[in-house]
Amino acid sequence: MEIIIKVTVQDTFTGIEKLVSVAFSTFVAKPVGKEKIHLKPVIPLTEQDHVEHNRASERRKVRLRHEETFKNLMEKNSKFEDLICDEEEGAVSTRGTSVQSIELVLPPHANHHGNTFGGQIMAWMETVATISASRLCRAHPLLKSVDMFKFRGPSTVGDRLVFNAVVNNTFQTCAEVGVRVEAFDCQEWSEGLGRHINSAFLIYNAVNDKEELVTFPKIKPMSKDDFRRYCGAIARKRIRLGRKYVISHKQEIPLSIHWDIRNQVSLSDDNVEAFKQLVAKSGWEVTSAVEKIKIYTLEEEDILSIWVEKHVEKPAHLAYHLLSDFTKRPLWDPHYMSCEVIDWVSEDDQIYYITCPIANGDKPKDLVVLVSRRSLKDSNTYTVAVKSVILPSVPPSPQYVRSEITCAGFLIHAIDSRSCTVSYFNQISASILPYFAGNLGGWSKSIEETAGSCIRFIENATDDESISIF
């Protein structure tokens, strides 16, 4: 059974309550004999009950495929080694963050069965993890979240519990600390053979005197075990991202602008400027690197953005003309069923009507977007900015779910006369999240497959196809 726990704090003077923490605990019923205990199903009564009931089912699906997903991501992350060596100069060794603590289980620490309280073990784990994180940031770290406390076996009164903690990896303002717990009875202690009873991964923030989040230094793996934990932290972050956005069911808040022909120059320039600001943001974290493709993510509070970087063996100007013509996009992008021009704004700006396939059993989606292309020939850099607009002549259709692109586009930069890098950026909105969530969580390869299709489309094109449609 899954149980939700919510912790609130109340101001005794004003009576105002504030949510402090939310957790989901999974329990099993221990039978007296050998037969399993079958629990009665929960009957949702209210609309909110139904929502939570459905979310619990989604969380269970994620938990059941966690091990397989983690294993697959670890196989991919084994290719990160060269990337880490190249980019982690000045990083801090994990050795300085290693902490060990030993606790003796006494009667007050155990339940009526003589088994150690799970909450007591969790408290001891948090203490040792906090010390480990503080050694990295030289400040008082704050526990942000916990990635699955997993109890592998019991411990009893009289056992010695050995807690080992180390910082596995850092992600800008977050640090992941791994804690392993082993239990020893008297004989096991004398033989040096303990029982692995628990593992958990705790995520920390730290703040400075101005209550601003502190950026953690990068971690440098020093051994194969360090590297395994380093890659494991990246895999767990991807799973957390996918889990968070798969089960969040966020409501879409319309952010599209109304298209005004009297102000079209300003709206087009704003589209390009917003895209440039997205590209210039700092804090991007690499989550995948496969051959010619790298995938980065950026979390800003509740906003998630993705950056897909591709190396293409074709001139930049050819890639620019092919990608700025959205009528060609269904040829390589399976997420686009059709793209048609509905308003020719200017030589470099057009409005398209786009239809997308069904995602997660819903109706197919459609979009109305402004595509603004710009070329900076002096620097051999090209941009294609995309943003949804509201056009009265194309109202929502009952056959489709009207969706929107908040900010997206391509940045194309020439490496030499025969090759370029093509970077796709997208500040993900709730309506297009279903097309990305599975990939973020590691149980889909749609982004890599689409990026590979894009590379093949450009590299197989001829110079005749570089003629602009504008």
Side-chain angles (χ1 to χ4, degrees):
M1 69 180 78
E2 180 192 274
I3 298 176
I4 183 172
I5 304 109
K6 293 184 179 181
V7 183
T8 59
V9 61
Q10 184 182 53
D11 188 310
T12 56
F13 295 100
T14 64
I16 296 176
E17 291 187 354
K18 182 172 64 175
L19 183 64
V20 174
S21 181
V22 177
F24 301 94
S25 293
T26 304
F27 285 80
V28 294
K30 185 178 180 181
V32 177
K34 294 183 179 180
E35 294 183 3
K36 292 183 178 180
I37 296 177
H38 296 278
L39 303 175
K40 295 180 180 179
V42 174
I43 301 175
L45 299 178
T46 66
E47 183 177 349
Q48 186 61 31
D49 288 345
H50 282 280
V51 171
E52 295 298 340
H53 190 271
N54 292 334
R55 289 180 180 177
S57 298
E58 293 296 325
R59 282 187 289 270
R60 184 170 186 269
K61 290 178 184 177
V62 173
R63 286 196 300 271
L64 289 176
R65 57 183 158 184
H66 180 275
E67 294 297 332
E68 181 182 355
T69 301
F70 182 78
K71 181 180 178 181
N72 292 336
L73 289 176
M74 286 297 286
E75 291 176 357
K76 291 181 183 179
N77 288 351
S78 64
K79 301 176 183 178
F80 278 6
E81 190 163 9
D82 295 335
L83 186 66
I84 293 168
C85 294
D86 292 340
E87 298 185 0
E88 300 300 322
E89 293 184 6
V92 177
S93 168
T94 57
R95 294 171 185 170
T97 68
S98 180
V99 178
Q100 185 179 87
S101 176
I102 302 176
E103 300 287 348
L104 177 63
V105 180
L106 299 174
H109 301 143
N111 60 24
H112 59 287
H113 294 293
N115 295 328
T116 315
F117 286 121
Q120 180 62 70
I121 297 176
M122 293 164 70
W124 282 330
M125 293 177 77
E126 182 185 352
T127 299
V128 70
T130 302
I131 296 171
S132 176
S134 66
R135 288 186 171 181
L136 179 66
C137 65
R138 304 296 180 184
H140 183 67
L142 308 172
L143 181 62
K144 177 186 178 184
S145 61
V146 178
D147 191 324
M148 290 188 184
F149 274 108
K150 190 166 185 179
F151 292 91
R152 299 175 179 271
S155 63
T156 58
V157 173
D159 280 347
R160 294 175 178 88
L161 304 186
V162 179
F163 299 79
N164 286 291
V166 66
V167 176
N168 292 331
N169 207 336
T170 59
F171 305 98
Q172 297 296 320
T173 58
C174 296
E176 181 194 280
V177 181
V179 184
R180 177 187 174 97
V181 187
E182 292 183 318
F184 299 78
D185 60 23
C186 291
Q187 183 176 348
E188 291 167 337
W189 185 262
S190 63
E191 296 173 352
L193 300 173
R195 291 166 279 126
H196 181 197
I197 65 166
N198 203 332
S199 288
F201 304 94
L202 294 82
I203 316 302
Y204 282 89
N205 292 137
V207 295
N208 58 22
D209 296 338
K210 298 180 181 179
E211 298 296 319
E212 298 170 335
L213 289 175
V214 172
T215 299
F216 286 96
K218 288 289 185 179
I219 285 292
K220 183 177 182 180
M222 303 300 293
S223 65
K224 287 186 177 181
D225 202 39
D226 287 345
F227 182 73
R228 176 185 58 80
R229 293 195 299 265
Y230 184 100
C231 292
I234 296 173
R236 280 185 291 274
K237 185 186 178 186
R238 284 193 62 176
I239 294 172
R240 285 195 299 273
L241 277 175
R243 184 173 66 221
K244 175 181 177 181
Y245 290 98
V246 162
I247 66 179
S248 61
H249 298 286
K250 293 181 180 178
Q251 295 296 321
E252 180 74 354
I253 301 174
L255 298 172
S256 300
I257 57 173
H258 287 267
W259 180 251
D260 186 351
I261 194 171
R262 296 167 299 180
N263 200 26
Q264 63 185 34
V265 174
S266 175
L267 293 175
S268 298
D269 290 343
D270 289 346
N271 183 26
V272 175
E273 185 59 32
F275 176 67
K276 289 181 178 179
Q277 291 177 8
L278 176 61
V279 171
K281 287 182 181 292
S282 60
W284 293 95
E285 297 282 357
V286 61
T287 60
S288 175
V290 181
E291 297 180 354
K292 296 181 178 182
I293 304 166
K294 290 182 185 177
I295 300 176
Y296 303 78
T297 55
L298 174 65
E299 275 197 291
E300 302 169 289
E301 296 181 355
D302 289 333
I303 299 174
L304 177 67
S305 301
I306 192 164
W307 165 19
V308 185
E309 183 182 77
K310 304 177 282 287
H311 181 86
V312 180
E313 297 294 339
K314 280 290 184 177
H317 69 85
L318 174 60
Y320 169 57
H321 287 294
L322 290 172
L323 296 178
S324 61
D325 179 3
F326 267 46
T327 61
K328 291 183 170 66
R329 187 148 179 179
L331 298 176
W332 59 267
D333 191 342
H335 303 105
Y336 282 59
M337 292 177 60
S338 66
C339 290
E340 59 176 305
V341 179
I342 56 175
D343 194 347
W344 197 297
V345 179
S346 69
E347 182 180 356
D348 292 325
D349 301 275
Q350 288 183 304
I351 296 178
Y352 288 83
Y353 175 69
I354 300 169
T355 60
C356 304
I358 294 174
N360 293 352
D362 203 349
K363 293 181 180 180
K365 299 179 184 295
D366 66 350
L367 307 100
V368 178
V369 300
L370 169 67
V371 177
S372 304
R373 70 174 197 165
R374 302 288 187 270
S375 62
L376 303 174
K377 296 182 180 179
D378 293 339
S379 61
N380 292 319
T381 300
Y382 306 86
T383 61
V384 181
V386 184
K387 179 179 177 61
S388 286
V389 294
I390 297 174
L391 207 60
S393 59
V394 188
S397 166
Q399 296 178 339
Y400 295 92
V401 176
R402 177 56 53 90
S403 304
E404 71 171 0
I405 293 175
T406 307
C407 181
F410 296 96
L411 176 68
I412 303 160
H413 182 71
I415 299 175
D416 52 40
S417 60
R418 293 176 296 178
S419 63
C420 63
T421 57
V422 175
S423 294
Y424 174 71
F425 294 82
N426 196 316
Q427 183 176 304
I428 299 176
S429 62
S431 59
I432 63 173
L433 182 59
Y435 298 106
F436 291 92
N439 203 105
L440 293 171
W443 48 85
S444 168
K445 297 181 181 179
S446 62
I447 297 178
E448 289 92 341
E449 291 169 353
T450 302
S453 177
C454 179
I455 293 173
R456 291 189 296 272
F457 171 72
I458 297 172
E459 292 183 343
N460 292 335
T462 63
D463 290 336
D464 294 338
E465 294 179 80
S466 67
I467 300 174
S468 175
I469 65 165
F470 291 86

